[in-house]
Amino acid sequence: MSETPEVKRNSRKVRKGVVVSKSGIKSVIVRGESREQHPVYGKTVRVFKKYHAHDEADTAKVGDEVTIMETRPLSATKRWRIVNTEEN
């Protein structure tokens, strides 16, 4: 009876992107890229989106490739946190 049941969380979204701005202490802006087909012309188009992410270790620099994961709201705009950093 002393065992605690495992808590299974829902799967969280994971994205890869490049740090484009260091917006304060422990905060970065990451640009993610996706490819979509244009609805009329059918050409593949690159679509960019910015994510405000939390960097707990404060190690990411502009230009680094990072992996971010969705998390609870950390501020008015931050909904993502950095999981892994690959320096360039």
Side-chain angles (χ1 to χ4, degrees), residues 24-25 30 36 58 62 87:
I25 300 170
V30 179
E36 297 177 356
D58 205 21
V62 175
E87 293 185 18

Side-chain angles (χ1 to χ4, degrees), residues 12-70:
R12 295 180 175 174
K13 296 175 190 170
V14 177
R15 304 274 190 263
K16 286 191 175 188
V18 178
V19 177
V20 293
S21 174
K22 191 120 167 87
S23 58
I25 300 170
K26 296 186 179 183
S27 297
V28 294
I29 298 176
V30 179
R31 184 180 77 171
E33 176 185 338
S34 63
R35 295 173 186 262
E36 297 177 356
Q37 206 167 25
H38 191 279
V40 175
Y41 301 111
K43 180 180 178 178
T44 302
V45 182
R46 296 190 322 172
V47 179
F48 298 101
K49 185 173 179 182
K50 289 183 182 178
Y51 300 97
H52 294 257
H54 182 70
D55 182 14
E56 183 63 37
D58 205 21
T59 56
K61 297 184 269 320
V62 175
D64 289 352
E65 283 190 29
V66 295
T67 304
I68 57 175
M69 180 182 286
E70 193 175 35

